[in-house]
Amino acid sequence: MTTCHSGVVNKRGLIRSGGPAERVGGYAALRSYAAIGDGRTVALIALDGSMDWLPLPDLDGPPVFAALLDAEDGGRIALRPVGDFSVKRRYVPRTNVLETTFTTDSGVMRVTDALVTGIAGRLPWIELARRIEGITGTVDVEWSVQPGTVGNTASPWVEQTVNGPVAHVDGITIAVRGFEHGPVRSRASGMSGHFATAAGSRHLIALSATANEPLRILTPELVDVGIDRTIARWRGWSKAFSFDGSWSDTVLRSALVLKLLIYSPTGAIAAAATTSLPESLDGGKNWDYRFAWVRDVAYSVLVAKPIDLWDA
């Protein structure tokens, strides 16, 4: 049995929240994370709906959301039902878009998470989308966007602008937009909200981020369309991969994971999506693994040349 912020995770991957067992010290089990990406960066999402890792705007950028490493001050993008719930999740077939279904005593909702890509490939800014759909009954939902301190090197703060609250941290600027996501409450260093789903309802929380440049203010309805476009692009890539041997589904899923580690602007293959995870709890060999290592890249391209139609 493993644990997470919202409660106990049993062997079937179902979470029961509100019990005495929370995340261990505030940390989710590493094996409980799922990854999404857009060719520039990678986000890791725990079973309880908390996005605990997201460097911005690139894979090697400041880890603005890093509760994976620092549960108290690392920062996270949280989205979950209020109260007890169970959860099942999967990737939308042949994509790196994540689909999570939360079940409560009062209803069921589905969350689709994507780092959105543009019509011609990756966008010049980061566009993170969290689509929430009411399936049955009603579900009370709470969400928050809380940037972290980037390893205790920066202090996040929120500016009130004509376009709504905008968060700043270490040269990164972040805006949150959406529809049917409740009134946005801004605090000194983050934003949060609350809403309720109903059968057939549709809600969206979208985050845009840039580094040391003007911030793109998103149109939520276009972001919603962008989720479906991103699904279609991933499926196009999967079709081009075209492996029909033994264990084809497993091989494709492995290829999709490796695709997340290809940094599209250069084609470099990152050693990992994360940084600073020590080899042991004692803290030895604590390296930044987000960069491309010549030896590992050489092995990768020797075995199989990466197929990259992302920006074709």
Side-chain angles (χ1 to χ4, degrees):
M1 181 177 290
T2 57
T3 59
C4 70
H5 178 70
S6 56
V8 179
V9 183
N10 66 23
K11 292 181 180 179
R12 293 182 298 165
L14 300 181
I15 295 177
R16 243 346 135 180
S17 67
E22 296 282 333
R23 294 188 179 204
V24 177
Y27 297 96
L30 290 179
R31 63 180 174 272
S32 74
Y33 286 101
I36 61 174
D38 63 353
R40 289 186 64 187
T41 191
V42 172
L44 298 182
I45 307 168
L47 268 169
D48 59 7
S50 179
M51 196 170 293
D52 289 349
W53 180 260
L54 178 59
L56 295 171
D58 300 314
L59 192 63
D60 63 347
V64 176
F65 300 98
L68 179 74
L69 301 178
D70 183 348
E72 185 173 352
D73 298 317
R76 59 170 52 89
I77 303 171
L79 173 64
R80 53 158 286 169
V82 177
D84 289 353
F85 62 88
S86 62
V87 59
K88 293 182 179 179
R89 69 180 179 187
R90 64 165 192 165
Y91 283 106
V92 176
R94 307 189 310 281
T95 78
N96 277 321
V97 173
L98 187 65
E99 187 179 273
T100 307
T101 301
F102 294 94
T103 301
T104 72
D105 290 338
S106 60
V108 179
M109 73 173 190
R110 180 169 58 237
V111 178
T112 303
D113 284 309
L115 277 165
V116 176
T117 57
I119 295 173
R122 69 182 183 277
L123 295 166
W125 57 87
I126 293 301
E127 190 169 302
L128 170 68
R130 311 196 79 173
R131 174 196 286 163
I132 304 96
E133 298 169 282
I135 307 301
T136 63
T138 63
V139 180
D140 287 329
V141 183
E142 58 186 4
W143 63 269
S144 65
V145 175
Q146 179 58 60
T149 60
V150 191
N152 292 324
T153 64
S155 296
W157 58 282
V158 172
E159 175 187 11
Q160 300 300 326
T161 76
V162 295
N163 293 307
V166 172
H168 301 264
V169 57
D170 197 29
I172 306 297
T173 310
I174 301 166
V176 177
R177 296 293 180 271
F179 57 74
E180 302 299 326
H181 63 312
V184 177
R185 300 187 297 271
S186 60
R187 305 184 300 275
S189 60
M191 292 158 265
S192 63
H194 176 274
F195 62 91
T197 68
S201 67
R202 196 179 184 96
H203 317 256
L204 183 83
I205 300 169
L207 179 149
S208 60
T210 54
N212 301 308
E213 60 186 10
L215 179 64
R216 171 78 174 186
I217 301 299
L218 300 175
T219 301
E221 291 75 16
L222 295 180
V223 177
D224 193 37
V225 173
I227 296 175
D228 298 321
R229 180 180 62 244
T230 302
I231 289 172
R233 290 184 62 80
W234 277 117
R235 285 177 168 169
W237 186 89
S238 295
K239 184 177 181 180
F241 181 78
S242 185
F243 178 83
D244 56 4
S246 301
W247 304 96
S248 57
D249 290 343
T250 303
V251 172
L252 175 58
R253 175 49 53 194
S254 297
L256 284 163
V257 172
L258 293 174
K259 180 68 176 74
L260 288 178
L261 297 177
I262 297 177
Y263 181 62
S264 291
T266 65
I269 304 171
T274 54
T275 178
S276 306
L277 294 176
E279 188 173 272
S280 69
L281 293 178
D282 296 332
K285 295 185 178 180
N286 193 354
W287 306 98
D288 191 333
Y289 286 95
R290 291 176 293 171
F291 303 105
W293 289 15
V294 175
R295 180 199 62 186
D296 294 358
V297 169
Y299 287 151
S300 298
V301 298
L302 229 139
V303 174
K305 182 180 178 181
I307 300 173
D308 192 357
L309 303 180
W310 203 246
D311 301 308

